[in-house]
Amino acid sequence: MKELLRIEELSVAFPGQQQEAKALDSVSFTVGEGEIVGLVGESGCGKSLTALTVMGLLPEKARATGSVRLEGRELLTLSETELCDVRGSQVSMIFQEPMTALNPLMRVGDQIAEAYRSHHNAFASEARQATLEMMRSVGLSRVEALYDEYPHRLSGGMKQRIVVAMALINRPALLIADEPTTALDVTIQLQILDLLRELQAKFSTSVLLITHNLGIVHKMCSRVIVMYAGYIVEEGATSEVLSKPLHPYTRRLLAAIPTVERQGKALYSIPGIVAPLEERQTGVCPFSQRCDRAFAPCFRGVPPLREVGDRKLRCLLPGGETDELSIIA
Ligand SMILES: Nc1ncnc2c1ncn2[C@@H]1O[C@H](COP(=O)(O)OP(=O)(O)O)[C@@H](O)[C@H]1O
Ligand code: SF4
Ligand SMILES: [Mg+2]
């Protein structure tokens, strides 16, 4: 598979009271052409910051180092004008809440058409035709009437379809979807996920799908990357990672999913929380404060991300008995 996105040793730091705090540390991964890769982890692990770095949308006070290459082109050193050119045409992003992407005062059709015209030297009539076609592709009907509606008149699912249309109208090579269905009802969630998969196949778009829901990863992604407190802790083929998780954090994430077998039992939740940025201990395994396998060497340095077979793992003592998971649950 040809490589589309290559992130190497990406770190993002924010100024702190005494010293900089790293919200991302040594993040490295790739996304292949036409691939759907899942990025998972609890809130605060650095998923959105990873996405915003690729989009060139980091907050001004954030300092990014390392390398982010899209089709071989370094993005971290681009000027704002060059980034504007890349955004929307080569890489685009959809967010959890459709209204963050939509202008409440503008007709939805015009918003898609404007996205088209910002990257095409097109007459209004051509942009309108492209918009109507894209609206049909995202499963909307009566598109001529819908073109003139304002966002507030649309349901949550329809609004997210409009956002998907805006994101894909210029056929970007990479779509980053940051919790794209979290704000939607379960049935609508499934429709939007099916739509994303259908469009990904139709346009051969690569997708980086950010979610805290491993069920969505199972349904959608061929490969999964697990993040914890700014670090990648495990990466591998979805089928392998979900059937035989090796990192203690991934094992606990999986144990926390409600399943039919666990119905009626108290739902396991991972003890503790991801420490806020300023309170993170540095120079130790990032998961050590919550890990029940931790032993002295885990506190002597950050374990490297090692290749273990087809898997990548940041742990000195990976694995554990499979039975352990049902005990945890
Ligand atoms: N603008 C910011 N200023 C300071 N810290 C930030 C900022 N944005 C994000 N962070 C911190 O970076 C960490 C990762 O955030 P984020 O990428 O949003 O996590 P996720 O998307 O996985 O929930 C969090 O600890 C968050 O508090
Ligand atoms: S390195 Fe140690 S503390 Fe960190 S996840 Fe592995 S066993 Fe747990
Ligand atoms: Mg986020």
Side-chain angles (χ1 to χ4, degrees):
M1 187 188 300
K2 219 174 135 201
E3 195 175 284
L4 178 75
L5 176 74
R6 170 171 284 269
I7 299 186
E8 278 175 315
E9 293 295 313
L10 172 67
S11 295
V12 169
F14 289 99
Q17 295 197 325
Q18 268 111 43
Q19 58 191 39
E20 276 193 334
K22 275 190 183 175
L24 294 182
D25 203 326
S26 322
V27 169
S28 303
F29 67 91
T30 62
V31 177
E33 275 183 6
E35 195 181 18
I36 309 186
V37 176
L39 192 57
V40 300
E42 288 161 289
S43 188
C45 284
K47 306 178 300 294
S48 294
L49 279 180
T50 306
L52 293 174
T53 313
V54 178
M55 292 295 289
L57 291 175
L58 279 178
E60 216 157 89
K61 60 182 176 167
R63 194 174 61 85
T65 54
S67 168
V68 177
R69 288 206 185 88
L70 188 70
E71 291 174 316
R73 185 183 187 197
E74 179 60 57
L75 300 185
L76 282 191
T77 50
L78 293 187
S79 67
E80 186 50 36
T81 321
E82 290 167 320
L83 274 170
C84 277
D85 219 33
V86 170
R87 272 198 296 265
S89 69
Q90 282 161 283
V91 46
S92 56
M93 185 161 171
I94 53 183
F95 299 88
Q96 176 172 337
E97 174 43 62
M99 282 317 285
T100 48
L102 295 174
N103 178 345
L105 304 176
M106 201 173 160
R107 296 174 204 278
V108 293
D110 286 340
Q111 301 193 41
I112 303 172
E114 189 179 88
Y116 182 80
R117 292 182 83 184
S118 65
H119 294 284
H120 290 83
N121 194 5
F123 287 119
S125 57
E126 181 196 325
R128 184 182 168 90
Q129 278 319 307
T131 297
L132 293 172
E133 195 187 311
M134 193 67 221
M135 287 170 79
R136 285 186 203 103
S137 293
V138 297
L140 293 166
S141 50
R142 299 185 308 105
V143 292
E144 254 116 33
L146 205 55
Y147 188 106
D148 290 323
E149 290 289 5
Y150 288 92
H152 75 269
R153 303 251 307 146
L154 274 50
S155 67
M158 281 167 95
K159 278 193 281 235
Q160 200 59 307
R161 283 177 197 268
I162 297 286
V163 172
V164 172
M166 258 167 88
L168 294 181
I169 185 101
N170 296 312
R171 308 286 188 270
L174 176 67
L175 174 70
I176 303 180
D178 191 353
E179 306 268 6
T181 60
T182 307
L184 304 172
D185 296 343
V186 177
T187 43
I188 311 293
Q189 274 187 20
L190 290 175
Q191 290 172 12
I192 297 287
L193 291 172
D194 285 342
L195 172 70
L196 283 179
R197 216 167 31 184
E198 183 193 315
L199 295 174
Q200 179 270 337
K202 184 170 171 185
F203 303 138
S204 335
T205 318
S206 305
V207 181
L208 181 63
L209 181 58
I210 298 176
T211 176
H212 60 271
N213 184 332
L214 288 169
I216 291 182
V217 171
H218 175 66
K219 181 179 160 69
M220 302 284 291
C221 307
S222 53
R223 202 149 51 83
V224 60
I225 297 164
V226 183
M227 287 191 80
Y228 188 80
Y231 290 90
I232 290 178
V233 296
E234 180 158 12
E235 179 188 331
T238 303
S239 53
E240 288 176 26
V241 173
L242 296 193
S243 62
K244 196 171 185 299
L246 293 177
H247 194 284
Y249 179 57
T250 318
R251 295 168 62 77
R252 271 149 193 77
L253 270 185
L254 268 163
I257 303 180
T259 61
V260 176
E261 295 86 64
R262 293 183 193 137
Q263 228 170 31
K265 295 187 191 171
L267 189 59
Y268 170 78
S269 69
I270 313 174
I273 53 158
V274 185
L277 201 48
E278 294 267 353
E279 291 167 30
R280 282 180 201 164
Q281 226 178 317
T282 53
V284 299
C285 166
F287 192 55
S288 55
Q289 284 149 312
R290 295 170 80 188
C291 183
D292 59 3
R293 290 169 76 83
F295 63 128
C298 308
F299 299 93
R300 288 192 201 124
V302 179
L305 190 66
R306 288 179 301 141
E307 293 198 11
V308 180
D310 296 335
R311 205 79 66 90
K312 286 189 188 152
L313 270 176
R314 191 185 293 282
C315 178
L316 300 175
L317 197 61
E321 295 305 314
T322 321
D323 292 357
E324 213 183 284
L325 279 181
S326 47
I327 296 167
I328 294 165

